[in-house]
Amino acid sequence: MTSKYPDALDPLQELAPGDAIEVFYRSRLVHRGPVAETSPERGLVWILDTLSGCRCLIDTAEVDVVRLPVHYREVRTLDTWRRPTGPRGSRF
């Protein structure tokens, strides 16, 4: 797939477990999260999607994959976005 993103990875370039990536399909962000497993010979990558909270299989031939900078490697999960609560469930 021809990429519109300057930082998009070559589909054959290896990703390593722990790399934080964003996945775009038809110019829309569809997945974001750390790489869990890779199968470079098949062009497949498993990620822990922080947008949906699910584990997702990505076919790198069908999408644009952008590696996030190192300071994004610790990608927040849905549970870490919750506000801390005070006593008795109050938000203060």
Side-chain angles (χ1 to χ4, degrees):
M1 176 175 252
T2 305
S3 174
K4 297 178 183 179
Y5 304 97
D7 297 334
L9 300 174
D10 177 2
L12 300 176
Q13 181 178 355
E14 286 189 40
L15 290 168
D19 287 346
I21 62 171
E22 288 183 334
V23 180
F24 293 87
Y25 179 71
R26 296 186 179 178
S27 301
R28 290 188 179 199
L29 177 65
V30 291
H31 302 290
R32 175 189 298 136
V35 173
E37 287 183 59
T38 62
S39 179
E41 63 279 356
R42 294 187 174 131
L44 301 174
V45 177
W46 281 99
I47 70 166
L48 300 173
D49 188 6
T50 57
L51 299 175
S52 67
C54 298
R55 187 173 175 194
C56 297
L57 179 63
I58 308 297
D59 181 355
T60 58
E62 299 293 322
V63 297
D64 292 318
V65 178
V66 178
R67 188 188 320 254
L68 296 175
V70 175
H71 64 276
Y72 286 106
R73 296 283 164 100
E74 188 178 317
V75 181
R76 290 180 150 188
T77 61
L78 294 175
D79 291 336
T80 61
W81 285 98
R82 294 183 183 157
R83 290 184 178 179
T85 58
R88 298 185 195 166
S90 69
R91 293 202 116 121
F92 301 106

